[in-house]
Amino acid sequence: MAEQRDTEQITFSDELVKYIETWKHKPGNLIMILHRVQEEFRFVPREAADEVARILDVPLAKIYGVLTFYHYFKLTKPGKYNIQICLGTACYLKGADGLIEEIENLLGVSEGEVTEDEQFSFESVRCVGCCGLAPVLVIGDEVFGKLTKDQIPGIIAKYQ
Amino acid sequence: MAFTNYILVCGGTGCESAKADQIYQNLLSAANAEGVHETVQIVKTGCFGFCEQGPIVKILPEDSFYVQVKPEDSEEIIKEHIVKGREVKRLLYDKSESKKHARVEDIQFYQKQFRIVLRNCGFINPENIDEYIARDGYAALEKVLFEMSSDAVIEELKKSGLRGRGGAGFPTWLKWNFTKQVDSEQKYIVCNADEGDPGAYMDRSTLEGDPHSILEAMAIAGFTCGADTGYIYIRAEYPLAIGRLKIAMEQARAYGLLGENILGSEFSFDIEIRLGAGAFVCGEETALLASLEGNRGMPWPRPPFPAVKGLWDKPTVINNVETWANVPMVILKGGEWFTQIGTEDSKGTKVFALTGKIRNSGLVEVPMGTTLREIIYDIGGGIANDKDFKAVQTGGPSGGMITKDYLDTPIDYKHLQGLGSMMGSGGMIVMDEDDCIVDVTKFYLGFTVDESCGKCSPCRVGGRTLYNTLDRITKGEGTMEDIDKMRSCGYAMQKASLCGLGQTAPNPIMSSLKYFEKEYLAHIKDRSCPSGRCKELISYFILADKCIGCTACARKCPVSAITGERRKIHLINQDLCIKCGICYEVCKFDAVYVG
Ligand SMILES: Cc1cc2nc3c(=O)[nH]c(=O)nc-3n(C[C@H](O)[C@H](O)[C@H](O)COP(=O)(O)O)c2cc1C
Ligand code: FES
């Protein structure tokens, strides 16, 4: 067993354990496994990283090296609804920075932060591939395109 | 019973985001309700390309092209069009003109296009292998396995003149041949689907619309170079494409087109999907391989080239999605056929994601040699909102800006490079008079600074220096020396950076300094931003002769900086104004002036 640390223990679901088992001996598996971990927790908690280090028998430093290199991996818990604003070129030209201002004003948080009630977090992303709909905002699976600033309050209200 | 009608619903990411799936589901249930489900086949396809007008529904055999369809239109489409045989006029693309003009081939957006890569996008159901096979899918693989030697494949590719579509334009045959010639037990085939250029989605659409073409091409390369394993490295941000690839791989295995002894031959080949995790530099081939190995995506200096020493030190062929999509066609129709399309040094077609301030944004595939003007004006319909064209950027953050004077340049590798830009992967971003060149350049530099892996100092330090300088200029704190400094810093980065990211990061600066020096000077000398974009350099005024005193601006101003009585001229208090631009947006009388 791994040395007991004063942080909370974490349990991996059976599916996650099984997934890790199938990938365990494949070369270059770390990123795939971390993706699966993030899918389960919506971010990669420190305890989960510890657990992966233990199962794969790789140094924790290596895992954090990878986690911090890639934008996709999150180290802190996002809000219940994570609002993504596209800051790809097409969206930028069509005023995505204005949308960001509007959201910051409305939610009172800046990029990467979570609202106090943990309902919303917000981040900017680079091109979600719907440039024809620029500027674009994504919440979960829902994509809102051809947006103007004044539509933002209505969209957020839908989730409140 | 045979089908008498086919309904094709665009299932590309753009249309999908605009509820294409709901449209598809509604069409299915309406067809059931009307009892026509046995005479009409409803298929969800890949991207039609005409994203501006999405969601798109096309009906065969009439070739009716319905645009901006909503889920609630589904019932009418079935009841009117399918049951009664009457087109739903209000949904046709060109309602104003005679009926004939609704046909796909009459739509100007498609007229200058020529589809090789996107040949199946918008025609087949990408989740059904039979539809791919019905359009000659896997015929090239069969031909290669049973009628061609690996040398003959290389020869055909060489004859075709196919060059890599991922950016650098390296001859595909040469790369394959390097790997083929290395003596090694294990070799790998890799598909680069990391598409990192922000504002580009060609590869995504190809994978979503025609995943089998990539699998087939990779198997052909496996046979030719002697590899039994392939990897598709794809952005995790592309769930739809990943899902369709997985389905395609399962179906191909079930049909004996992937796996052991493909089609009963001696040749075995299989493919695995590996996910990227949002790092632009991982599109660079050596960084990509580092990431595939499960590490931080740091590039390594070449040589050795991956073709000789790549994934886990084994010879590795790595090509871009679009390059792969060309391969089956080159094999089937012959290299000779391919050379008839395109220009002297660039054969075939190129797919572009046309976006920005363009009337018809979308995905276009044109023969190499088509001019920028044809793409922007004939296909793209010109600049949106009747504004003036300012510049077009090809090659994304690694490319350069091209001005009005060069719109008649034929697009190919050589000409774009000659203009200080590059082909890149196919992003084409159009800017209009409202876009500030310095600001856009700063945006690009901000991107490359964010995405620099930090391994080499020219890129890490140089990029940051350039960004900071641009930032100062947009705030009115630039000096004339800054211009020369940026040029020499950019030059050093081009020469000394480890990988393509740092080497090309200064391109937006170098090209905009060349073509738009005046705009830089306006920011530096006059402390003004001619496009009215850089907040620190602009002020909003109300024009006395135009203001009618409607109070719209005063009511909307978030900081109550505007005063004035109804029907009297209003005034902006410059000390309070935060330059949010809301007054400018709400004024219907053009009375707010930015200067
Ligand atoms: C910073 C950087 C980013 C790149 N991004 C991509 C990319 O997103 N997709 C791609 O196919 N090639 C990309 N490339 C090019 C690859 O390094 C490589 O040339 C390409 O995958 C080779 O395939 P091709 O010969 O078929 O073009 C990038 C290169 C650099 C320097
Ligand atoms: S730039 Fe925003 S979706 Fe592509």
Side-chain angles (χ1 to χ4, degrees):
Chain A
M1 259 245 341
E3 199 186 319
Q4 199 72 32
R5 290 176 359 131
D6 47 357
T7 44
E8 275 172 52
Q9 281 295 313
I10 199 161
T11 24
F12 283 2
S13 68
D14 293 347
E15 294 82 41
L16 176 54
V17 172
K18 215 178 284 165
Y19 183 90
I20 297 180
E21 276 306 312
T22 55
W23 278 88
K24 196 170 168 181
H25 298 291
K26 288 195 193 182
N29 53 11
L30 184 55
I31 293 175
M32 295 304 283
I33 289 174
L34 292 174
H35 269 297
R36 185 65 186 74
V37 171
Q38 176 154 303
E39 197 182 312
E40 181 144 322
F41 299 101
R42 301 180 63 229
F43 71 112
V44 184
R46 162 73 193 232
E47 301 78 41
D50 276 337
E51 186 66 6
V52 171
R54 188 185 64 79
I55 301 176
L56 297 183
D57 195 22
V58 296
L60 189 62
K62 153 109 190 183
I63 293 180
Y64 270 88
V66 167
L67 285 174
T68 53
F69 185 84
Y70 295 97
H71 301 303
Y72 198 83
F73 294 125
K74 292 192 180 59
L75 297 177
T76 52
K77 192 174 171 191
K80 182 168 171 207
Y81 301 107
N82 187 34
I83 305 175
Q84 299 180 311
I85 298 253
C86 176
L87 256 191
T89 319
C91 290
Y92 180 74
L93 287 184
K94 294 209 170 169
D97 52 342
L99 301 184
I100 290 186
E101 265 172 36
E102 184 70 20
I103 291 200
E104 288 183 333
N105 286 341
L106 268 175
L107 297 180
V109 292
S110 37
E111 166 140 33
E113 294 178 349
V114 187
T115 53
E116 235 162 58
D117 59 3
E118 295 186 0
Q119 280 287 306
F120 295 100
S121 50
F122 125 75
E123 60 179 343
S124 64
V125 292
R126 300 290 192 183
C127 191
V128 294
C130 319
C131 318
L133 301 177
V136 172
L137 175 156
V138 184
I139 303 181
D141 291 337
E142 277 243 44
V143 178
F144 301 88
K146 299 194 179 176
L147 278 182
T148 52
K149 267 195 242 177
D150 45 334
Q151 287 170 279
I152 303 266
I155 293 175
I156 292 191
K158 269 182 41 182
Y159 290 86
Q160 255 157 355
Chain B
M1 205 188 323
F3 295 118
T4 50
N5 277 106
Y6 298 86
I7 305 185
L8 306 173
V9 183
C10 178
T13 290
C15 287
E16 197 69 21
S17 310
K19 309 216 164 28
D21 190 57
Q22 197 56 50
I23 296 171
Y24 171 73
Q25 299 295 346
N26 289 3
L27 284 169
L28 283 181
S29 46
N32 272 325
E34 295 295 315
V36 291
H37 54 284
E38 286 185 347
T39 57
V40 56
Q41 188 182 27
I42 305 171
V43 178
K44 205 157 81 177
T45 69
C47 181
F48 279 74
F50 204 5
C51 309
E52 183 73 39
Q53 293 288 335
I56 287 169
V57 172
K58 190 165 97 172
I59 303 193
L60 302 176
E62 296 89 342
D63 216 2
S64 310
F65 198 78
Y66 293 148
V67 297
Q68 297 185 5
V69 179
K70 297 198 174 59
E72 53 271 28
D73 296 327
S74 300
E75 200 179 321
E76 187 175 348
I77 293 177
I78 296 289
K79 281 189 173 163
E80 281 296 305
H81 191 135
I82 304 300
V83 178
K84 299 194 185 132
R86 294 195 296 233
E87 279 185 320
V88 184
K89 286 246 166 56
R90 68 180 177 87
L91 295 175
L92 286 172
Y93 172 57
D94 204 339
K95 305 172 225 345
S96 57
E97 307 203 15
S98 67
K99 207 174 156 217
K100 201 169 104 273
H101 265 267
R103 301 292 84 78
V104 174
E105 66 267 25
D106 295 321
I107 296 175
Q108 220 189 358
F109 181 78
Y110 288 107
Q111 275 180 6
K112 294 212 162 162
Q113 297 202 42
F114 187 91
R115 295 185 149 209
I116 298 176
V117 173
L118 302 175
R119 59 191 176 277
N120 290 324
C121 284
F123 290 98
I124 64 168
N125 174 357
E127 299 184 2
N128 184 345
I129 189 171
D130 292 329
E131 296 195 14
Y132 179 65
I133 291 173
R135 288 173 67 101
D136 289 334
Y138 290 106
L141 177 60
E142 191 178 349
K143 182 173 171 186
V144 165
L145 290 180
F146 300 106
E147 294 167 30
M148 292 174 83
S149 64
S150 51
D151 285 327
V153 175
I154 300 269
E155 199 46 45
E156 209 59 50
L157 279 177
K158 185 174 178 183
K159 214 189 287 169
S160 76
L162 175 64
R163 296 171 61 174
R165 303 295 196 238
F170 194 79
T172 305
W173 74 271
L174 198 56
K175 198 183 267 189
W176 289 27
N177 206 32
F178 282 140
T179 302
K180 175 175 176 289
Q181 284 171 350
V182 185
D183 195 16
S184 170
E185 282 282 296
Q186 181 69 60
K187 298 177 186 177
Y188 295 106
I189 307 295
V190 173
C191 170
N192 185 344
D194 195 46
E195 194 162 55
D197 174 0
Y201 56 105
M202 307 73 50
D203 294 348
R204 159 181 223 158
S205 303
T206 308
L207 290 165
E208 285 174 359
D210 199 13
H212 284 285
S213 64
I214 308 300
L215 307 184
E216 179 178 9
M218 290 176 73
I220 291 172
F223 170 84
T224 308
C225 305
D228 65 356
T229 306
Y231 290 100
I232 299 176
Y233 184 89
I234 180 166
R235 298 180 70 191
E237 291 91 337
Y238 284 0
L240 190 60
I242 296 167
R244 290 195 177 148
L245 272 173
K246 283 187 178 157
I247 294 171
M249 281 160 49
E250 259 169 45
Q251 292 177 343
R253 282 188 201 112
Y255 276 51
L257 294 161
L258 277 184
E260 298 291 316
N261 303 99
I262 291 176
L263 293 171
S265 70
E266 296 282 283
F267 173 63
S268 301
F269 185 79
D270 213 331
I271 298 176
E272 222 180 73
I273 294 179
R274 290 296 176 96
L275 303 184
F280 175 64
V281 70
C282 289
E284 196 280 334
E285 55 189 19
T286 61
L288 185 151
L289 295 176
S291 181
L292 259 179
E293 292 173 2
N295 301 317
R296 289 162 74 93
M298 301 276 207
W300 71 68
R302 300 172 303 179
F305 286 91
V308 179
K309 196 173 173 196
L311 193 59
W312 293 296
D313 289 341
K314 303 293 183 220
T316 304
V317 169
I318 169 164
N319 279 125
N320 162 263
V321 170
E322 191 178 330
T323 316
W324 288 120
N326 275 297
V327 169
M329 294 300 275
V330 169
I331 299 295
L332 266 189
K333 296 204 169 184
E336 185 64 36
W337 165 79
F338 199 74
T339 57
Q340 290 161 12
I341 309 149
T343 64
E344 191 56 38
D345 83 321
S346 311
K347 302 299 181 194
T349 59
K350 181 77 196 84
V351 184
F352 290 98
L354 185 59
T355 60
K357 304 293 181 64
I358 187 93
R359 190 162 283 144
N360 299 324
S361 56
L363 202 66
V364 305
E365 179 171 359
V366 289
M368 295 275 194
T370 305
T371 66
L372 286 162
R373 188 183 302 282
E374 286 172 295
I375 296 187
I376 295 170
Y377 287 92
D378 297 344
I379 297 175
I383 310 303
N385 304 322
D386 296 318
K387 298 271 182 178
D388 280 337
F389 170 89
K390 188 173 214 170
V392 54
Q393 170 109 358
T394 62
S398 312
M401 292 176 197
I402 298 169
T403 57
K404 197 157 67 203
D405 298 341
Y406 299 95
L407 281 179
D408 291 311
T409 310
I411 297 177
D412 60 20
Y413 293 99
K414 193 175 68 191
H415 282 97
L416 286 180
Q417 217 156 20
L419 291 179
S421 185
M422 62 187 273
M423 180 75 77
S425 55
M428 188 176 280
I429 308 251
V430 180
M431 295 165 226
D432 70 12
E433 54 187 300
D434 291 342
D435 295 313
C436 166
I437 293 297
V438 187
D439 178 68
V440 175
T441 306
K442 184 175 109 178
F443 167 83
Y444 280 122
L445 259 292
F447 179 83
T448 38
V449 166
D450 260 3
E451 297 295 338
S452 166
C453 77
K455 182 167 172 174
C456 75
S457 43
C459 173
R460 186 181 66 240
V461 181
R464 173 60 65 186
T465 308
L466 290 178
Y467 178 83
N468 289 348
T469 311
L470 286 168
D471 191 46
R472 277 193 291 107
I473 295 177
T474 56
K475 291 187 170 133
E477 297 159 8
T479 62
M480 286 308 290
E481 290 85 72
D482 283 338
I483 302 245
D484 289 337
K485 274 194 199 148
M486 287 200 296
R487 281 209 175 97
S488 60
C489 178
Y491 182 75
M493 283 177 75
Q494 287 174 332
K495 292 289 164 211
S497 296
L498 175 59
C499 85
L501 191 143
Q503 287 159 10
T504 58
N507 288 358
I509 296 198
M510 300 307 231
S511 69
S512 58
L513 275 177
K514 183 164 162 197
Y515 298 118
F516 293 97
E517 193 170 1
K518 260 203 208 141
E519 243 181 273
Y520 281 89
L521 296 184
H523 284 74
I524 295 173
K525 284 190 170 161
D526 311 337
R527 309 264 179 249
S528 83
C529 172
S531 326
R533 168 85 203 187
C534 298
K535 275 193 184 162
E536 274 86 352
L537 302 183
I538 53 169
S539 306
Y540 289 89
F541 304 102
I542 293 178
L543 298 174
D545 54 334
K546 290 207 171 146
C547 177
I548 62 151
C550 73
T551 73
C553 59
R555 277 181 284 129
K556 286 275 177 175
C557 178
V559 290
S560 306
I562 306 180
T563 49
E565 285 171 39
R566 177 166 282 280
R567 301 222 180 81
K568 298 250 170 68
I569 294 165
H570 282 50
L571 195 70
I572 301 178
N573 181 336
Q574 298 298 337
D575 293 336
L576 295 178
C577 177
I578 54 164
K579 299 171 187 172
C580 65
I582 290 178
C583 52
Y584 180 78
E585 280 163 30
V586 298
C587 182
K588 292 200 181 80
F589 307 95
D590 291 333
V592 179
Y593 169 82
V594 196

